[in-house]
């Protein structure tokens, strides 16, 4: 673009600065004790390991004992009703076999589900900012900011994932906006602050071109897009040559503060012995069972003496795994509570005959869900 073209585009206000970076530059923010910026220039959230007082330790030689339970029985009427409900939800299956089948055997199966839940809390912080419009500034003049793990918060209900964001007390301060340097406006980057842009249809000539390819030449017909002016008003800044600063929203100053993020998370270990090759274990994930054993403490201890040794082994494995995985040496979090349960998930293998052929299906869960490898019906066209 030559000097003559520059004159055609017009002048701009040199007092309006170019738009700066959206994030404050290094060293721009104050240093708050206990919330020092991480080394290496990492601008992400800073995680804080809990103090030693927040970390429980397991006791020695303490185990949990479990009572014996009785396997529930499913009657023929319940098994039939469950199958009727199942085929009723499948448009391609007829209910006639379910109504007229003959049961040969209902075989109850003992199936346990072990679950260990470990509820943890972690804390991280990051600098945040908002336009300063005269709001109260809770700064260091009111005292020192408490350490991350001493900021008081309301504990949520246990075993539910929750994320809470709170402002660290006494961490706020006001500074000139780094993006517009306190001007409240920034130069429009689309028109370089001139308020207008070269017309893209006539390329600034004000007249339309005629011909095709190499024979293109400027004609005498006025460009209808720019009305012959050769330039058009910038649609990004509406012809002003500047925009309101998107960071301070024209207020010229920003209030910076430290935002603490508290994350409560429930980590679940679940185990069901795989003893039924013909029954998919994933089916158990969507049904409930009878929780006849519940053990809850800051740290639970492995189950011993339960008749199903696989459950005992799973409990020992889960306890060791969670205690190691969620120790402050591995993850900067603390264990608030643990809960282990054993559920008896009812499951009955139903054998029946229909039209001289043998079939079978499973009734499982307290909801009496049905899984059937094969059902004696084809697609029914109504």
């Amino acid at each position: 673009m030559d000097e003559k073209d520059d004159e055609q585009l017009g002048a701009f206000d040199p007092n309006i600065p170019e738009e700066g970076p959206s994030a404050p530059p290094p060293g721009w923010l104050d240093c708050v004790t206990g919330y020092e910026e991480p080394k290496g220039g990492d601008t992400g959230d800073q995680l804080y390991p809990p103090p030693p007082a927040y970390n429980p330790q397991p006791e020695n030689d303490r185990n949990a004992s479990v009572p014996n339970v009785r396997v529930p029985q499913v009657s023929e009427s319940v098994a039939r009703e469950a199958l009727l409900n199942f085929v009723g939800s499948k448009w391609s299956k007829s209910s006639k076999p379910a109504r007229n089948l003959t049961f040969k055997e209902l075989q109850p199966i003992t199936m346990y589900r072990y679950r260990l839940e470990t509820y943890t809390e972690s804390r991280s912080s990051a600098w945040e900012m908002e336009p300063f419009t005269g709001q109260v500034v809770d700064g260091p003049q009111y005292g020192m900011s408490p350490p991350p793990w001493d900021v008081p918060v309301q504990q949520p209900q246990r075993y539910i994932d929750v994320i809470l964001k709170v402002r660290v007390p006494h961490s706020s301060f006001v500074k000139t906006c780094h993006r517009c340097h306190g001007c409240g406006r920034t130069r429009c980057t689309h028109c370089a602050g001139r308020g207008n842009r070269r017309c893209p249809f006539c390329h600034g000539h004000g007249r339309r071109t005629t011909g095709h390819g190499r024979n293109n030449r400027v004609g005498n017909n006025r460009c209808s897009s720019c009305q012959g002016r050769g330039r058009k008003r910038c649609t990004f800044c509406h012809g002003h040559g500047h925009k309101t600063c998107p960071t301070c929203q024209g207020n010229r100053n920003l209030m910076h503060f430290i935002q603490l993020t508290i994350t409560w998370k429930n980590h679940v270990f679940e185990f069901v012995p795989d003893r039924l090759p013909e029954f998919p274990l994933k089916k158990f994930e969507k049904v409930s069972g009878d929780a006849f054993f519940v053990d809850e403490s800051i740290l639970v201890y492995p189950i011993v003496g339960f008749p199903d040794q696989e459950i005992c082994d799973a409990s020992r494995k889960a306890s060791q795994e969670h205690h190691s995985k969620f120790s402050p040496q591995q993850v900067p979090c603390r264990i608030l509570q643990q809960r282990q349960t054993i559920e008896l998930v009812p499951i009955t293998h139903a054998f029946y005959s229909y039209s001289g052929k043998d079939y079978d299906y499973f009734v499982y869960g307290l909801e009496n869900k049905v899984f059937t490898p094969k059902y004696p019906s084809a697609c029914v066209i109504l």
Side-chain angles (χ1 to χ4, degrees):
M1 184 182 297
D2 56 30
E3 184 176 352
K4 184 178 179 181
D5 289 334
D6 282 345
E7 292 176 356
Q8 287 181 339
L9 289 174
F12 61 89
D13 188 348
N15 296 318
I16 298 177
E18 294 183 357
E19 186 174 297
S22 58
W28 185 265
L29 303 175
D30 292 356
C31 181
V32 178
T33 303
Y35 298 87
E36 290 79 9
E37 293 186 14
K39 297 180 180 180
D42 184 8
T43 57
D45 285 8
Q46 174 75 352
L47 279 164
Y48 302 98
Y54 287 89
N55 297 296
Q57 297 298 319
E59 299 177 11
N60 295 324
D61 301 326
R62 178 181 170 184
N63 296 293
S65 57
V66 183
N68 293 322
V69 294
R70 183 175 60 86
V71 181
Q73 299 286 333
V74 171
S75 65
E76 290 188 0
S77 61
V78 171
R80 189 185 304 274
E81 184 65 26
L83 187 59
L84 283 168
N85 290 336
F86 171 76
V87 299
S89 65
K90 310 291 183 181
W91 68 269
S92 62
K93 298 183 183 298
S94 169
S95 62
K96 182 179 178 181
R99 292 195 305 268
N100 300 316
L101 63 82
T102 301
F103 284 108
K104 301 178 68 176
E105 182 184 4
L106 294 177
Q107 180 183 339
I109 302 170
T110 303
M111 188 63 68
Y112 299 111
R113 177 168 56 198
Y114 172 80
R115 182 185 289 117
L116 174 65
E117 298 170 273
T118 299
Y119 198 54
T120 63
E121 176 185 351
S122 60
R123 298 194 175 197
S124 64
S125 73
W127 280 101
E128 298 291 340
M129 56 191 171
E130 63 183 23
F132 178 65
T133 58
Q135 63 266 45
V136 176
V137 181
D138 181 15
Q141 68 271 22
Y142 295 106
M144 290 185 61
S145 296
W149 286 92
D150 288 349
V151 176
V153 294
Q154 182 68 38
Q155 294 282 341
Q157 182 180 344
R158 294 289 169 87
Y159 309 112
I160 296 178
D161 292 352
V162 177
I163 296 178
L164 176 67
K165 296 180 182 294
V166 297
R167 193 169 301 196
V168 173
H170 318 322
S171 68
S172 303
F173 62 89
V174 176
K175 267 196 171 185
T176 300
C177 177
H178 59 277
R179 195 164 191 176
C180 65
H181 305 286
C183 181
R185 298 177 295 174
T186 58
R187 190 180 306 165
C188 177
T189 57
H190 298 278
C191 65
R194 301 185 186 281
N196 50 59
R197 307 172 71 193
R198 190 177 301 280
C199 177
F201 296 97
C202 67
H203 306 287
H205 296 291
R207 299 179 300 280
R208 292 183 301 175
T209 58
T210 60
H212 301 281
R214 293 183 179 181
N215 296 321
N216 270 356
R217 62 184 183 274
V218 177
N220 293 321
N221 294 326
R222 188 176 65 171
C223 177
S224 59
S225 179
C226 65
Q227 305 302 319
R229 290 188 294 268
R231 59 187 185 272
K232 299 185 68 174
R233 186 175 68 167
C234 177
T235 57
F236 294 92
C237 65
H238 305 290
H240 299 297
H242 57 80
K243 298 185 296 182
T244 300
C245 176
T247 299
C248 70
Q249 298 176 11
N251 291 282
R252 302 185 177 186
N253 295 304
L254 293 171
M255 183 163 72
H256 300 267
F257 57 91
I258 298 176
Q259 183 170 266
L260 188 67
T261 301
I262 302 99
T263 303
W264 291 278
K265 187 169 181 59
N266 193 38
H267 308 271
V268 180
F269 175 99
E270 195 167 280
F271 172 76
V272 177
D274 189 3
R275 294 172 185 161
L276 294 173
E278 63 272 39
F279 184 86
L281 286 181
K282 290 186 67 67
K283 295 289 184 181
F284 285 121
E285 295 177 1
K286 297 184 179 180
V287 296
S288 53
D290 179 18
F292 63 91
F293 171 79
V294 180
D295 179 28
E296 188 171 2
S297 183
I298 296 179
L299 288 179
V300 297
Y301 303 90
I303 294 171
V304 295
F306 189 63
D308 193 324
Q309 185 59 41
E310 284 191 77
I311 296 296
C312 297
D313 294 341
S315 175
R316 185 180 305 105
K317 175 186 176 183
S319 298
Q320 294 173 351
E321 182 180 296
H322 275 205
H323 185 261
S324 173
K325 185 176 181 180
F326 303 116
S327 66
Q329 293 75 24
Q330 299 295 328
V331 182
C333 69
R334 64 165 171 159
I335 296 176
L336 294 178
Q337 196 84 356
Q338 284 188 323
R339 177 172 64 188
Q340 62 180 346
T341 59
I342 301 178
E343 292 176 286
L344 180 63
V345 184
I347 180 169
T348 297
H349 199 174
F351 299 89
Y352 67 95
S353 62
Y354 178 76
S355 294
K357 294 183 180 181
D358 292 335
Y359 300 91
D360 68 307
Y361 66 95
F362 294 89
V363 181
Y364 64 100
L366 295 179
E367 297 83 357
N368 288 332
K369 295 289 185 179
V370 165
F371 169 73
T372 175
K374 185 178 181 182
Y375 184 73
S377 69
C379 180
V380 177
I381 301 177
L382 299 179

